[in-house]
Amino acid sequence: MVQTMRRKDKTMEFSGKRLGFLLNKLIKEGKREFLIVALVFLITGVFATQLEIGEAILIMAIMIGYFVSVCENSFSWYKRQNKRINSLLLPASAFEKYIAIFILTLVAPVVMIFLFTLVGVGLGNLIFANCYISPSNILGWFDVFKSSEGLLTASVLLGMASVCFYGSLFFKKVTFPNLIGYAGLSLIAFNWIKEYISHAYMPDWNSPYRESFIDAYRDVMNCFGIGLNLVIFVGFMVLTYLRLKEERS
């Protein structure tokens, strides 16, 4: 009984030194994947400066690249038996492992992808005389988050990424195609409900309130979508940590 309580207490232990050691070890194990991602977005940033639609291509590449990176890392950490065994044997608490994988799977890729895209665009401006994109264009993307549409887009990406990350850890027998299917069906259902409500309560074309209704409805649904994705994100965080804690004990 005492040993069990001690073991459970250790799952919440946290040491910055152990976390640093763990991150260093995991980065060394996955350095090949990190280098490939860095090289791909560096080259993409360089050549995107020569395309008129280069900025749109970069935005799509970052979103897709981040999502693919999250999925690949998520399903490699806890779906591959050798990595599961290595994870269980690492000298760290469940909380430290959880934080380390969270950083390397959800935080590090977006920072690295954005950084190397920015560096690539900067190199493109140094190499080529005429460029359609400059580093200031990339930094200007942060202005998008001042609008509800930008926040909704970011929250949807975060929500889907968290479903893949946390889902791969929590639902051990669920495969990546299953999760993508569930996420896709949920997105379709949400859009169908949104459109149904919109058409059901939309004022007539001749109504002076029609435009005001559309603006208000868009803001409400954006806020609802952001809130829903945050609930999904936090919910999967809690469920997954409890599963990892249970597995370790």
Side-chain angles (χ1 to χ4, degrees):
M1 179 69 177
V2 175
Q3 289 180 350
T4 303
M5 291 181 65
R6 286 177 180 172
R7 188 184 303 165
K8 288 183 178 179
D9 290 338
K10 287 182 179 180
T11 60
M12 280 298 292
E13 284 184 357
F14 180 79
S15 166
K17 185 175 181 180
R18 275 203 308 264
L19 178 62
F21 168 77
L22 185 58
L23 283 170
N24 183 54
K25 187 176 189 307
L26 294 177
I27 289 172
K28 285 181 179 178
E29 289 180 359
K31 62 182 177 182
R32 181 174 175 272
E33 288 78 7
F34 286 119
L35 286 173
I36 290 173
V37 171
L39 186 61
V40 166
F41 281 91
L42 185 69
I43 295 173
T44 303
V46 170
F47 287 100
T49 59
Q50 298 304 295
L51 302 173
E52 289 188 30
I53 58 169
E55 192 168 350
I57 290 174
L58 284 181
I59 292 172
M60 289 300 298
I62 286 175
M63 293 178 67
I64 294 172
Y66 176 67
F67 186 68
V68 170
S69 175
V70 170
C71 295
E72 168 60 23
N73 288 332
S74 300
F75 281 80
S76 66
W77 289 126
Y78 282 92
K79 289 292 183 182
R80 295 177 187 170
Q81 188 173 3
N82 62 329
K83 285 202 172 184
R84 287 181 65 84
I85 294 172
N86 289 339
S87 175
L88 288 172
L89 295 177
L90 287 173
S93 67
F95 185 64
E96 290 162 350
K97 292 177 183 178
Y98 182 70
I99 294 296
I101 295 176
F102 174 85
I103 292 172
L104 292 179
T105 304
L106 287 182
V107 180
V110 70
V111 174
M112 185 174 66
I113 288 172
F114 180 82
L115 179 62
F116 279 94
T117 299
L118 184 64
V119 172
V121 171
L123 285 175
N125 278 260
L126 290 175
I127 296 170
F128 304 109
N130 298 314
C131 297
Y132 293 98
I133 316 172
S134 67
S136 60
N137 296 125
I138 310 301
L139 294 173
W141 291 351
F142 289 102
D143 292 335
V144 175
F145 297 110
K146 296 178 181 178
S147 66
S148 58
E149 287 83 2
L151 289 174
L152 178 62
T153 302
S155 71
V156 168
L157 184 64
L158 179 64
M160 293 188 69
S162 65
V163 166
C164 288
F165 172 49
Y166 298 116
S168 70
L169 273 64
F170 185 72
F171 301 111
K172 298 179 183 179
K173 295 183 180 180
V174 175
T175 61
F176 174 59
N178 295 145
L179 281 175
I180 292 297
Y182 297 149
L185 289 174
S186 300
L187 193 60
I188 292 171
F190 174 75
N191 284 322
W192 183 84
I193 293 171
K194 184 176 72 171
E195 292 300 320
Y196 176 79
I197 295 174
S198 174
H199 286 92
Y201 295 97
M202 180 80 72
D204 296 333
W205 282 98
N206 297 325
S207 173
Y209 303 106
R210 183 181 177 88
E211 188 173 344
S212 298
F213 173 84
I214 293 173
D215 292 338
Y217 182 74
R218 185 189 299 116
D219 290 339
V220 169
M221 293 309 296
N222 285 345
C223 291
F224 176 76
I226 292 169
L228 180 62
N229 282 293
L230 289 176
V231 169
I232 292 172
F233 179 71
V234 174
F236 271 107
M237 281 184 71
V238 175
L239 290 173
T240 303
Y241 175 70
L242 292 175
R243 172 57 66 90
L244 292 179
K245 184 178 177 182
E246 176 188 356
E247 186 178 74
R248 182 174 171 82
S249 60

